[in-house]
Amino acid sequence: MGAAIAGHLANVGIKTLLLDIVPRDLTEKEKKAGLTLQDRVVRNRLARSGKGRLFREKPAPLYVKRAAELIEVGNMEDDFHRLADVDWVIEVVVENLQIKQALFQRLEKVWKPGIVVSSNTSGISINKMAEGCSEAFRKHFLGTHFFNPPRYMKLLEMIPNEKTDPDILNEMKAFAEETLGKGVVVCKDTPNFIANRIGTYGLQVTLQAMEEMGLSPAEVDTVTGRAMGRPKSATFRTLDLVGLDTYIHVADNVRENVNDPEEKEAFQVSPLLAEMVRNGWLGEKSGQGFYKRVKTEKGKEILALDPGTLSYEPRQKLKVPSLDAARRAQSLPEKLQTLVYADDPAGKLAWQITKKVLIYSARRLHEIADDIVSVDRAMKWGFNWDLGPFEMWDAIGLEKSVRRMLEEGEAVPDWVQDLLASGKNSFYQKQDGKTHVFSIGGKYGEVNGHEKEISLARLKEQGKKIAGNRGASLIDLGDDIVCLEFHSPKQAIGPDIIMMMNKAIKELSANYRGMVISAEAPNFCVGANLMLMLMEAQDGNWPEIDLLVRQFQQTMGALRTVDRPVVAAPYGMTLGGGVEVCLPCDRIQAAGETYMGLVEVGVGLIPGGGGNKEMLLRVTEGVDPKDRASLQPLVNQVFMTIGQARVSTSGEEARDYRFVRSYDGITINRDHLLYEAKQTALGLYRAGYKAPRPRKIPVVGETGYNVLKLGAYGMLKSGYISEHDFKIACKLAFVLAGGNVPEGTLVSEQYLLDLEREAFLSLIGEPKTQQRMQYMLAKGKPLRN
């Protein structure tokens, strides 16, 4: 965990010193090399090993591998004195109070005023850790609980001790939000803080419900995943990922540190879990837990544990009417209401779990947090719930659910019943387009978000929508900047989005200073509407396909040449046509977690919306047309990027593929992306923006085409690609080379677009391409044919 935190600090450009203990024994390899325990390479082994894992772990802890250059390794004996020269010390040692106390008392001897010190504990008391330290040290001391993996998990719980300087707490909170991209929740110093306290309780009651109802882990996971607005890993897959031994440690920490006998009993680990740990069935890290992967004649299969026999059997999902009805629901509140009030096994399970978690959250609210919002954010950011407990309570109907809870003899906290008695029926309310929440003091107050958070949904509620259709909307962001929001299914580009883009471009030119293109769905854009294109191809409607591709190309051209700045703000999956929307924009403000790729070859096509032309524009800028030695390698690079359907693993890696340029921006905190994109558009306008003029592009021509084709042929003969892959590669090579023209010829952008469109149309008519398209739509993965 310490190395992973160091990795994320390096991701955002922070130099980090990673220290670990000195090994007590030599490895066999070290003995053979003649090393001793006094050699520096041996003494730094554990830290170096931690750093090395950053290159191998999946999902990757690093945005790009070169980020690790900012991490220097050392050990806690030879390099401990260097902690006097850092800005922030993060302790990530074993979860043992005595060891942590001893470490901090040792640290204070080299500590200098101004250095912030924090513990990455998941639940040990921050106040107890600081016992024995000076008041000055304690003013700079707090808990910073990163959720794992630190790069991807949004939640960072901050826990001040009794002496923590409020200014330091606020500075660290701002730093974590702005620089590290975290969602910070300030917690009280209680066992397991907020997210692990409620999350662990939820797992406990789910285990209990499984045993009481005689269900299997796979049947429970059918209910407790997406059907309830939770991650796909649901309950038992999540436990396997966390590690059963780790989970038991977290549960025991609560049980040992609370006083309420009922709560102690609630956190008593089940005999089933204890036996699994004794057997070494710890989950993913040991190869088996509640689930186990095995090889069968059909390939790899995932088996599920039978709690009664402790044997592994094929997974059996729960099949009941309420789950089918929930899947058809249009919104999450409708989905939850359909499920929790259903009179079948799924409904009974969902209700039992939900009511327990909601009552527990309400009962412990005053103890663990300052407000309802902190609890909801902690569970959404730390456990990836779509709704926090109090949002969920509103979603299923506060009044209806409390009435049922009371009928079933549950002890609903008085403050919740008092809220209902006062005539209110929800924790959250909408007032004048703003969200207000019930506070502990008994009144509603506005939910305060970060000043850099812009919500398109909230702006639409406030009447800021200018125009829209089923595919996209144009929204006023203020300061004469508009946002074109994609909201078609999976943000796929079809006629609706193209139509709205053209309307947005005209509106922008006539009335606004600049435009941002983004969305609020899980991903920016997965590409073109593949189903639509396949249907047209299967019907042989070539004029219609040609028209669609022309319209997309023309719209991208208008986007490039409009007389106002346009900034693309991609995030998440940004594929195919999604990349082609970004490439002609004046700037890209990408999220740190942006996965960009021109992936059309995966469905037997090449980019058709100007992607090839735009990539050539990028790599040939400033290149002498006669300098083949410089030009050919650049075209080769584009050929490999598109031909191998390379997708960046981060916004930073998108620079390596030339999707994001050196002067484009990257926003680490996804919630601040729209704000920073808007500021970029305003900055361009105020700087006297002028639209780029069309320019001639130098191409490698027929000679370069043969070079590219020869490379593809070598891959064909080596068995790396199929005959159809080779055909696609040759079409791509022809476009990128500029066709049958002499090497160094300057061609127009329209000439390249025509080549691109012709190649696209020829490929979509191929039966094997249509097979690939159909397979992708059905299976969600590419077909190699």
Side-chain angles (χ1 to χ4, degrees):
M1 188 64 178
I5 293 172
H8 189 57
L9 293 172
N11 282 335
V12 300
I14 297 172
K15 292 179 66 175
T16 305
L17 177 62
L18 178 63
L19 305 184
D20 209 325
I21 60 175
V22 175
R24 297 178 180 177
D25 301 296
L26 292 170
T27 64
E28 288 302 316
K29 186 176 180 180
E30 288 166 343
K31 290 176 183 176
K32 289 179 181 179
L35 298 173
T36 72
L37 290 173
Q38 301 308 311
D39 285 303
R40 183 77 174 181
V41 67
V42 175
R43 296 173 72 80
N44 292 350
R45 185 216 306 154
L46 296 179
R48 190 176 65 255
S49 175
K51 179 179 176 179
R53 283 196 299 273
L54 298 178
F55 299 104
R56 301 187 299 272
E57 289 182 353
K58 292 183 179 181
L62 300 173
Y63 285 165
V64 286
K65 290 183 178 179
R66 61 179 174 273
E69 295 169 7
L70 292 172
I71 303 174
E72 181 183 357
V73 299
N75 66 74
M76 292 179 65
E77 292 182 12
D78 304 325
D79 302 291
F80 200 77
H81 65 282
R82 297 180 60 188
L83 299 180
D85 301 318
V86 304
D87 300 305
W88 179 17
V89 177
I90 309 174
E91 167 270 308
V92 202
V93 304
V94 65
E95 289 283 77
N96 179 290
L97 177 60
Q98 287 72 35
I99 292 174
K100 289 178 184 289
Q101 286 175 330
L103 176 62
F104 290 126
Q105 289 168 23
R106 180 187 171 201
L107 175 61
E108 188 169 8
K109 294 176 182 177
V110 300
W111 175 80
K112 293 178 181 177
I115 299 174
V116 176
V117 181
S118 69
S119 171
N120 184 58
T121 180
S122 61
I124 296 178
S125 170
I126 303 301
N127 282 293
K128 288 183 180 178
M129 282 188 214
E131 288 178 358
C133 294
S134 68
E135 185 168 335
F137 184 91
R138 295 177 71 179
K139 282 183 178 180
H140 293 78
F141 180 65
L142 68 157
T144 49
H145 179 209
F146 288 83
F147 273 60
N148 195 24
R151 168 184 166 180
Y152 300 95
M153 293 302 294
K154 182 174 180 177
L155 180 62
L156 174 59
E157 290 182 320
M158 283 195 174
I159 312 98
N161 75 82
E162 293 170 352
K163 300 293 183 179
T164 302
D165 186 329
D167 290 339
I168 290 174
L169 176 65
N170 290 333
E171 287 171 9
M172 290 301 294
K173 182 175 183 292
F175 172 79
E177 291 170 339
E178 294 278 345
T179 305
L180 302 183
K182 294 299 176 185
V184 177
V185 170
V186 178
C187 309
K188 295 183 178 180
D189 188 19
T190 55
N192 287 25
F193 314 127
I194 297 176
N196 276 346
R197 181 79 167 267
I198 294 174
T200 305
Y201 179 84
L203 290 167
Q204 284 289 98
V205 297
T206 304
L207 275 161
Q208 293 162 11
M210 177 186 75
E211 294 172 355
E212 290 170 2
M213 296 181 67
L215 298 173
S216 70
E219 288 174 324
V220 171
D221 279 353
T222 312
V223 180
T224 59
R226 296 308 300 155
M228 291 182 65
R230 308 281 177 83
K232 288 172 65 176
S233 56
T235 300
F236 296 102
R237 177 70 181 130
T238 297
L239 277 171
D240 276 358
L241 291 169
V242 169
L244 272 59
D245 53 339
T246 301
Y247 171 77
I248 287 177
H249 171 79
V250 173
D252 284 346
N253 188 61
V254 179
R255 184 174 51 82
E256 293 167 4
N257 288 283
V258 296
N259 298 317
D260 182 350
E262 184 181 342
E263 190 171 15
K264 279 184 176 291
E265 178 62 27
F267 283 90
Q268 181 66 49
V269 173
S270 76
L272 171 63
L273 239 62
E275 185 169 0
M276 291 174 70
V277 170
R278 283 195 299 272
N279 291 342
W281 303 348
L282 307 180
E284 191 77 13
K285 59 188 174 185
S286 68
Q288 67 186 92
F290 284 100
Y291 294 99
K292 179 181 181 180
R293 286 190 181 91
V294 296
K295 290 183 179 180
T296 66
E297 294 178 357
K298 300 178 181 179
K300 290 183 179 178
E301 185 180 355
I302 298 177
L303 304 179
L305 184 75
D306 181 331
T309 64
L310 291 185
S311 61
Y312 289 90
E313 308 290 342
R315 288 181 295 176
Q316 298 294 326
K317 294 185 177 182
L318 200 59
K319 296 180 180 180
V320 292
S322 65
L323 286 170
D324 294 331
R327 291 188 191 102
R328 294 192 296 269
Q330 297 299 307
S331 67
L332 183 53
E334 291 175 9
K335 187 188 295 281
L336 287 168
Q337 290 174 32
T338 300
L339 193 57
V340 300
Y341 295 123
D343 188 22
D344 62 25
K348 292 175 181 176
L349 175 67
W351 169 251
Q352 182 70 7
I353 296 167
T354 299
K355 76 170 180 178
K356 294 286 187 183
V357 170
L358 299 186
I359 291 172
Y360 182 79
S361 299
R363 187 177 297 159
R364 297 302 167 199
L365 172 64
H366 302 81
E367 176 188 342
I368 64 176
D370 288 327
D371 51 58
I372 284 171
V373 175
S374 293
V375 173
D376 282 344
R377 286 176 174 169
M379 298 315 299
K380 289 189 292 184
W381 296 344
F383 277 73
N384 291 325
W385 291 7
D386 290 346
L387 297 175
F390 297 99
E391 292 172 323
M392 187 185 300
W393 214 335
D394 280 353
I396 66 172
L398 180 61
E399 188 174 7
K400 179 179 180 179
S401 60
V402 169
R403 183 168 58 249
R404 180 176 173 182
M405 290 171 185
L406 293 174
E407 289 171 356
E408 293 175 355
E410 299 290 349
V412 178
D414 291 342
W415 72 268
V416 177
Q417 297 189 60
D418 291 342
L419 168 66
L420 290 169
S422 70
K424 307 295 184 182
N425 59 9
S426 65
F427 297 106
Y428 291 88
Q429 292 183 345
K430 294 285 186 182
Q431 296 179 20
D432 302 322
K434 297 179 180 178
T435 302
H436 291 70
V437 63
F438 185 77
S439 68
I440 292 175
K443 298 180 180 180
Y444 285 85
E446 186 178 341
V447 176
N448 295 318
H450 195 280
E451 61 181 6
K452 289 188 176 181
E453 290 180 18
I454 296 177
S455 166
L456 297 178
R458 193 178 306 126
L459 288 172
K460 286 189 281 190
E461 289 174 357
Q462 295 170 1
K464 301 295 184 180
K465 179 177 172 180
I466 300 164
N469 59 26
R470 290 182 299 177
S473 294
L474 191 63
I475 303 161
D476 189 344
L477 296 181
D479 299 317
D480 289 329
I481 302 294
V482 289
C483 178
L484 178 65
E485 177 198 19
F486 294 167
H487 49 64
S488 59
K490 296 187 178 179
Q491 295 65 60
I493 298 170
D496 286 344
I497 283 184
I498 294 173
M499 185 185 304
M500 198 61 226
M501 289 186 79
N502 283 302
K503 183 177 181 64
I505 290 167
K506 292 176 182 176
E507 187 74 22
L508 168 64
S509 181
N511 300 309
Y512 293 91
R513 296 177 174 181
M515 181 166 72
V516 173
I517 302 177
S518 198
E520 283 192 333
N523 295 299
F524 176 77
C525 177
V526 298
N529 187 327
L530 198 61
M531 175 65 79
L532 174 64
M533 300 297 285
L534 177 60
M535 289 172 61
E536 297 289 0
Q538 289 176 334
D539 289 343
N541 199 347
W542 312 120
E544 184 65 25
I545 296 175
D546 181 65
L547 178 62
L548 282 170
V549 177
R550 283 179 188 272
Q551 288 177 336
F552 189 32
Q553 290 182 343
Q554 290 165 359
T555 302
M556 295 304 98
L559 195 66
R560 167 178 276 280
T561 57
V562 66
D563 59 353
R564 296 289 187 273
V566 180
V567 178
Y571 60 90
M573 300 304 290
T574 304
L575 305 175
V579 175
E580 290 180 301
V581 168
C582 297
L583 294 180
C585 292
D586 300 291
R587 291 288 188 279
I588 293 176
Q589 187 70 35
E593 299 301 336
T594 304
Y595 318 121
M596 299 184 81
L598 291 166
V599 296
E600 286 84 352
V601 298
V603 290
L605 298 168
I606 69 167
N612 305 286
K613 180 263 294 183
E614 288 293 335
M615 291 298 287
L616 286 176
L617 275 172
R618 273 165 152 68
V619 301
T620 61
E621 188 171 6
V623 175
D624 184 345
K626 298 177 183 179
D627 185 4
R628 182 179 181 275
S630 297
L631 187 58
Q632 185 71 53
L634 294 171
V635 177
N636 293 350
Q637 183 186 51
V638 174
F639 180 66
M640 295 302 290
T641 297
I642 299 175
Q644 293 186 336
R646 292 174 175 171
V647 178
S648 71
T649 59
S650 65
E652 190 61 45
E653 191 178 47
R655 292 193 199 277
D656 297 344
Y657 295 151
R658 303 291 188 99
F659 300 134
V660 174
R661 297 154 297 197
S662 60
Y663 52 83
D664 288 325
I666 293 179
T667 299
I668 305 302
N669 192 322
R670 167 75 181 83
D671 292 341
H672 301 175
L673 182 62
L674 278 174
Y675 173 88
E676 295 189 358
K678 174 186 171 183
Q679 296 307 310
T680 300
L682 276 172
L684 288 170
Y685 177 84
R686 290 166 179 164
Y689 174 80
K690 300 293 183 185
R693 298 170 63 88
R695 71 172 175 87
K696 297 287 187 178
I697 304 170
V699 294
V700 293
E702 188 174 4
T703 304
Y705 166 62
N706 288 328
V707 171
L708 298 175
K709 187 176 179 180
L710 182 61
Y713 184 75
M715 296 182 75
L716 172 66
K717 288 301 179 184
S718 299
Y720 288 109
I721 62 175
S722 68
E723 290 282 355
H724 193 55
D725 290 325
F726 181 65
K727 180 178 287 189
I728 299 164
C730 290
K731 295 285 187 181
L732 176 62
F734 190 77
V735 173
L736 293 176
N740 293 319
V741 297
E743 181 182 0
T745 300
L746 292 170
V747 301
S748 69
E749 294 184 31
Q750 187 58 52
Y751 169 82
L752 286 171
L753 288 173
D754 291 341
L755 287 181
E756 182 177 292
R757 189 178 65 259
E758 289 165 8
F760 183 93
L761 288 167
S762 69
L763 285 169
I764 201 169
E766 293 279 346
K768 287 191 174 182
T769 286
Q770 293 179 21
Q771 289 171 12
R772 290 189 179 195
M773 296 170 73
Q774 195 153 7
Y775 192 85
M776 176 63 74
L777 288 167
K779 304 290 187 179
K781 56 185 179 181
L783 170 69
R784 298 302 302 274
N785 59 353

